[in-house]
Amino acid sequence: MSFEVNFDGLVGPTHNYAGLAHGNIHSVNNKSKPSNPRRAALQGLDKMKLMHDLGYKQAIIPPQERPLINEYEDYNNMAINASASSMWVANSCTVAPSVDSYNNKLNLLTANLNFTHHRRIEAPQTYDILNKIFCDATKFMVHTPIESNGDFDDEGAANHTRFCNSYDEEGLHFFVYGRSQNDSEESPSKYPARQTLQASKKVAKTMQIKNAIFAQQSSESIDAGVFHHDVIGVGNKNFYFYHEKALAEEEETVIKLQDTFNGKLNFLCVKETELPMDLVVDTYLFNSQLVEYEDGHMLIAPIRCRRNPLVRKYLQSIIGRNNPIKKVRYVNLEQSLWNGGGPACLRLRVTMTESEFSALHPGIIFTDKLHLQLRKWVKHYYVGNLIYEDLFVPSYIKRCRDALQELTNILDLGNIYPFQIK
């Protein structure tokens, strides 16, 4: 039996609003505002607890060491070195279940995140942490990031969706890219396209995925602030929920998905006349988590979707016994959203067998006991108000390291951070 496990990124103690992500409207608009790392981390834990209480399997990916400074205490580029963006683990890697790969292992390919400096520096720690969690080499294969000079920029699972009839069966992998070497394809004019077609194809080939198709994201959506596909479309099992302006060739892509999929794919396309693209970007509707529920799906949506009358009314209109989406639950992740990441950004979806799940490092499996430990830990170490200048204070850097030292003990991960290994 196979099932989906949600691995959520634990928000780090340096959660701040530096506005580093060009093309991410929320990140840029909130630049230099005070942040609340304690609230951000607790909001993330609340979402994990909700999923756990609803009966879904839940696990944790720890934050990376931040600020990341060298042995000479170089404080240059502190905004980059202190970014807590590793919390958005949808960008950590791309996942292919063992049933989908010719090598018959659960594959995780670490994203290089080459396009932005503050995220590029995550890749080495991500690779090490994934190897600690997915530690059984007979069942898991953790791949190093793809090298890129710009042509192979890879942003991980945020531009990847797996469709299947059931989690036990072989699936269809849907890769969405923003740019390619094909000069005839459209390109955005306002904001950059991050994911490349070449990277997506290399990811699929490296993980030996049996069945994959590739489609281009629309330039119009990128210029509207949709920096990853998971801000404009989300899928689960045999259901795809997306905005009509998500893809460059929407009709052709839908036909290709249906023709390639083994069975019937269900599509729910939100029209621009129903919900304008700028509104879905503002509310992060499509960055909801879509999970199986009864004979259909449940949407775990940002609280601002409920607070917006038009989006709330739309969601009420598509929920019901005869609709694919049976229920909506709302979660408050405003601290993360102000920095450009919603429910789907905070989690990595991993389809696993019982045997594979049992082979995981046990310390990262979410339990009620671990939840209470982490809440106590956050309240002890995390501050309720953080501004950019705080990141330079030596006592705060020590506080962050002390927090991570205790976290590795709580999760029984051993020494995983650079400051522990020196």
Side-chain angles (χ1 to χ4, degrees), residues 66 98 115 118 138 142 178 212 217 232 280 297 312 322 351 355 359 390 415:
R66 296 293 184 270
S98 51
F115 188 79
H118 71 289
T138 66
V142 181
Q217 185 178 331
I232 201 72
V280 299
H297 309 269
R312 183 176 68 248
N322 299 318
T351 298
S355 174
D390 294 335
N415 294 337

Side-chain angles (χ1 to χ4, degrees), residues 219-372:
S219 294
E220 185 179 356
S221 70
I222 294 172
D223 280 338
V226 182
F227 52 99
H228 293 136
H229 172 258
D230 68 0
V231 180
I232 201 72
V234 59
N236 182 54
K237 295 185 80 171
N238 61 355
F239 177 54
Y240 183 36
F241 179 46
Y242 70 103
H243 193 275
E244 70 170 331
K245 293 193 174 184
L247 304 166
E249 298 179 338
E250 188 248 336
E251 290 186 12
E252 294 87 341
T253 301
V254 167
I255 292 171
K256 190 174 183 181
L257 281 169
Q258 183 61 79
D259 289 348
T260 311
F261 185 70
N262 181 27
K264 177 176 172 52
L265 264 183
N266 299 302
F267 300 88
L268 179 54
C269 176
V270 179
K271 303 297 184 183
E272 176 76 9
T273 53
E274 294 175 304
L275 295 177
M277 188 158 52
D278 61 348
L279 180 59
V280 299
V281 172
D282 181 64
T283 58
Y284 262 42
L285 168 62
F286 292 102
N287 201 249
S288 302
Q289 288 182 232
L290 191 64
V291 296
E292 63 175 342
Y293 179 75
E294 295 181 349
D295 294 325
H297 309 269
M298 174 164 38
L299 204 65
I300 310 296
I303 193 72
R304 59 177 61 185
C305 290
R306 187 175 71 185
R307 291 172 179 167
N308 184 282
L310 191 59
V311 176
R312 183 176 68 248
K313 183 178 179 181
Y314 175 81
L315 286 174
Q316 289 171 343
S317 74
I318 63 168
I319 299 169
R321 185 182 302 273
N322 299 318
N323 295 331
I325 298 177
K326 308 297 183 184
K327 189 177 182 66
V328 176
R329 292 292 297 262
Y330 297 96
V331 289
N332 186 349
L333 295 167
E334 285 296 284
Q335 280 288 316
S336 176
L337 258 173
W338 289 339
N339 221 356
C345 289
L346 282 163
R347 66 91 179 92
L348 178 72
R349 310 166 71 170
V350 183
T351 298
M352 313 183 74
T353 64
E354 287 279 6
S355 174
E356 290 164 347
F357 185 73
S358 298
L360 289 171
H361 172 71
I364 53 84
I365 305 300
F366 191 92
T367 63
D368 289 332
K369 179 181 177 181
L370 180 58
H371 176 236
L372 292 175

